[in-house]
Amino acid sequence: MTIGVDDDESAFSRMDDSKAVEESWLRICSKLKGEVGEVEYRTWLTKIALGPIDGDEITLLLPTRFLRDWVRSQYGDRLSELWNQEISSIRRVELQVARPGDPVAPPIMLDEQVSSTAPTMAAGNDTEEAPRNPPEVKSDIVASLDTRFTFDTFVVGKPNEFAYACARRVAEKPSSVGFNPLFLYGGVGLGKTHLMHAIGAELLQRGNVSVAYMSAEKFMYRFIAAIRSQSTMEFKEQLRSVDVLMIDDLQFLIGKDNTQEEFFHTFNALVDAGRQIVVSADKSPSDLSGLEDRLRTRLGCGMVADIHATTFELRISILEAKAAASGVVVPAKVLEFLAHKITSNVRELEGALNRLIAHANLFGRPVTLEATQDVLHDILKAHDRRVTIEEIQKKVAEHWNIRLTDMSSARRARAVARPRQVAMYLAKQLTSRSLPEIGRKFGNRDHTTVMHAVSRVAELMERDAAFAEDVELMRRMLES
Ligand code: ADP
Ligand code: MG
């Protein structure tokens, strides 16, 4: 059974005039149509349906994952801007795949009469007797889990295998000693949310447990809404009655003292009662400065699992899995090219692949390396621009405490040579420069020297976990 802590009847909704929201949407649609043209508009944007508003976020729903990804990559930012212009309290647009039973207004066809469009929308009715969303708690939290994010669709590799194993363990045996709380952390787009949803899905499938999942941000909105509607008791009770509570992106609570306090109490009550907590954040508990000490301490008491930056191998595996699932044939050469070029995170990698697949589907042309470079022109450019060899040299020299000039000096002492090799390795990984070009930047060294450095560093990383961590850290710093 599940508890409706993540329902769509957001009491926090400031917009309780659903008509006004629809009218805003109509204006946005009309603007978009003008911007993108009739055909694009019909192909992609008429499929969007309005979902609920929650706090500063409006949800828009699309019928398929493919459409959602497409609309997100092509129009996501523009949609946010337009919504923000219409309703200034809206800061973010969340694009989701609609699931059966989602309480949504139908999409707007501009050619139709306004009156024939959505009668109501999900957000914005504060009354209890709202008939659209029956107080069936079960569908509720299930609906808030993204069904694509399961253990089956999670590709496991070195950087995430530990986190994956911990997540599986918690899904199989919640509240086991040593695993409560489970604290997952890592950079953006590396699979934290995916793993949490996977835990939720697995638990619900086994049945007989109540699971609540929400972002820390949503937790805060719920909490504030409860205070406003003087229903904090209900809110607390609801939360404290679940078997498993998962809070995503906890770093959001930094600086939100009251909400943190509330979370702390909920956390304690649940753990004391032997319930499972799963939390994610972008940093480890000890690095989350700004969280109250006592909360940080408790968060670090169970299992803390880091998801590392992706490796080339993992990126290839993920691309292979996703390409296979899409049904579009993507040559290995193209996958390798993407895995080399897009190293930041899985989300961007996935976005790039989705765009390729969309293109292939749309035009019915095979995916080639040439087409890839063309279709992903902007993404690739952005990635190329991201890091320069000079930046890499500077950061690496700082990190290992050597002089910047030693990056191009002839000194061969290991204390200097090793960081230099790391910088060459990172230059190869993070930029699109060729080996001779890299060599030139390192005191006119030969390309074979660079090649040797790259393989030497890779080899050392395999052998020496601490060294590997250092290098990964550098990479992450350079990429962020
Ligand atoms: P985070 O919460 O860490 O920012 P997400 O869980 O939202 O990242 O992941 C971003 C995207 O990348 C999602 O679409 C997710 O399914 C995908 N993803 C991340 N890691 C993996 C993985 N190991 N295997 C398959 N997909 C992944
Ligand atoms: Mg996330």
Side-chain angles (χ1 to χ4, degrees):
M1 107 81 217
T2 51
I3 295 294
V5 283
D6 206 2
D7 62 335
D8 292 315
E9 297 293 334
S10 168
F12 189 65
S13 169
R14 288 189 215 108
M15 287 295 311
D16 39 22
D17 185 355
S18 60
K19 195 81 200 156
V21 176
E22 277 167 44
E23 275 162 19
S24 293
W25 182 218
L26 203 58
R27 278 191 294 274
I28 291 171
C29 288
S30 157
K31 270 191 204 157
L32 273 172
K33 192 175 172 185
E35 286 173 21
V36 304
E38 175 78 33
V39 176
E40 283 262 44
Y41 178 79
R42 277 204 168 275
T43 315
W44 308 110
L45 299 160
T46 51
K47 310 284 195 298
I48 304 176
L50 275 177
I53 291 182
D54 188 354
D56 62 357
E57 178 179 292
I58 183 158
T59 299
L60 301 179
L61 297 143
L62 284 134
T64 64
R65 184 180 175 201
F66 168 70
L67 275 169
R68 190 225 26 206
D69 290 341
W70 180 266
V71 168
R72 184 185 279 161
S73 69
Q74 302 299 308
Y75 310 108
D77 293 343
R78 186 63 188 140
L79 279 168
S80 297
E81 264 168 38
L82 289 169
W83 270 107
N84 184 251
Q85 284 165 17
E86 282 290 335
I87 301 170
S88 62
S89 62
I90 294 183
R91 297 243 158 69
R92 300 196 317 155
V93 169
E94 168 72 11
L95 290 157
Q96 279 184 10
V97 181
R99 270 172 294 269
D102 263 344
V104 292
I108 286 179
M109 302 293 289
L110 281 185
D111 309 323
E112 289 175 15
Q113 291 280 318
V114 184
S115 58
S116 71
T117 61
T120 45
M121 70 165 279
N125 194 335
D126 285 333
T127 57
E128 284 293 72
E129 58 271 31
R132 277 162 286 112
N133 199 17
E136 227 298 295
V137 280
K138 182 152 185 134
S139 64
D140 214 350
I141 193 81
V142 177
S144 77
L145 290 175
D146 192 318
T147 49
R148 295 166 308 133
F149 294 164
T150 61
F151 286 124
D152 288 344
T153 57
F154 192 82
V155 181
V156 187
K158 263 220 163 68
N160 59 27
E161 63 188 3
F162 182 63
Y164 172 82
C166 293
R168 270 231 106 111
R169 169 66 191 260
V170 164
E172 265 150 38
K173 262 182 106 188
S175 312
S176 3
V177 178
F179 286 85
N180 200 14
L182 172 61
F183 189 99
L184 298 169
Y185 77 96
V188 53
L190 296 181
K192 302 181 295 294
T193 299
H194 188 135
L195 279 180
M196 293 177 103
H197 284 238
I199 294 173
E202 181 84 17
L203 284 165
L204 290 175
Q205 200 191 336
R206 287 156 181 261
N208 236 354
V209 282
S210 53
V211 180
Y213 163 90
M214 69 184 110
S215 66
E217 198 173 0
K218 212 160 226 173
F219 180 88
M220 185 187 81
Y221 287 130
R222 291 293 132 113
F223 178 52
I224 294 174
I227 293 175
R228 293 202 174 159
S229 60
Q230 299 182 328
S231 58
T232 43
M233 279 313 288
E234 280 103 308
F235 176 72
K236 284 177 198 204
E237 269 165 31
Q238 248 189 349
L239 280 176
R240 281 164 211 203
S241 68
V242 300
D243 296 314
V244 180
L245 174 65
M246 300 195 275
I247 302 286
D248 205 353
D249 289 321
L250 193 82
Q251 71 273 6
F252 180 82
L253 292 192
I254 288 173
K256 321 274 194 312
D257 293 347
N258 291 337
T259 313
Q260 235 181 81
E261 171 100 11
E262 181 56 32
F263 175 67
F264 180 69
H265 293 308
T266 307
F267 180 102
N268 286 334
L270 283 169
V271 173
D272 291 347
R275 314 284 168 75
Q276 175 77 45
I277 306 266
V278 182
V279 165
S280 86
D282 61 351
K283 297 195 191 70
S284 72
S286 50
D287 287 339
L288 277 176
S289 49
L291 274 197
E292 260 189 82
D293 283 344
R294 54 182 189 166
L295 177 56
R296 265 197 300 155
T297 310
R298 291 222 67 173
L299 285 170
C301 274
M303 183 55 71
V304 177
D306 182 358
I307 307 187
H308 296 265
T310 57
T311 55
F312 178 74
E313 289 72 26
L314 179 60
R315 291 196 293 278
I316 287 284
S317 312
I318 289 174
L319 286 169
E320 281 171 352
K322 298 203 189 260
S326 79
V328 171
V329 179
V330 185
K333 238 186 1 202
V334 170
L335 297 183
E336 270 169 37
F337 175 76
L338 290 179
H340 264 303
K341 289 287 180 183
I342 303 176
T343 54
S344 48
N345 64 50
V346 185
R347 184 172 297 139
E348 292 197 25
L349 197 63
E350 200 177 33
L353 183 69
N354 284 341
R355 179 133 38 121
L356 269 190
I357 289 168
H359 218 260
N361 281 331
L362 200 59
F363 297 109
R365 282 195 222 119
V367 179
T368 62
L369 198 53
E370 210 182 12
T372 303
Q373 278 165 317
D374 196 32
V375 173
L376 301 180
H377 174 76
D378 52 338
I379 299 182
L380 295 171
K381 215 169 84 193
H383 276 261
D384 276 351
R385 212 181 321 112
R386 197 162 283 172
V387 193
T388 64
I389 294 183
E390 287 75 13
E391 275 170 77
I392 294 172
Q393 291 177 327
K394 187 163 164 280
K395 277 268 157 54
V396 173
E398 274 167 15
H399 185 78
W400 270 280
N401 242 327
I402 65 170
R403 284 183 311 221
L404 187 56
T405 49
D406 276 334
M407 284 293 166
S408 29
S409 77
R411 287 184 62 200
R412 299 177 66 165
R414 178 175 302 173
V416 175
R418 188 53 42 78
R420 192 191 292 134
Q421 287 180 325
V422 170
M424 288 184 200
Y425 168 89
L426 288 170
K428 180 75 192 104
Q429 296 267 318
L430 301 179
T431 73
S432 57
R433 303 272 165 235
S434 64
L435 295 172
E437 280 175 304
I438 296 172
R440 274 199 289 282
K441 299 255 182 185
F442 286 83
N444 268 328
R445 284 180 159 77
D446 192 67
H447 78 276
T448 53
T449 308
V450 182
M451 216 151 70
H452 173 71
V454 172
S455 65
R456 183 84 187 113
V457 170
E459 193 186 302
L460 276 174
M461 285 175 75
E462 280 289 312
R463 280 217 311 263
D464 181 345
F467 176 74
E469 206 161 285
D470 252 8
V471 176
E472 282 303 336
L473 187 76
M474 293 280 13
R475 176 219 283 281
R476 240 190 253 181
M477 275 164 41
L478 285 160
E479 279 178 342
S480 60

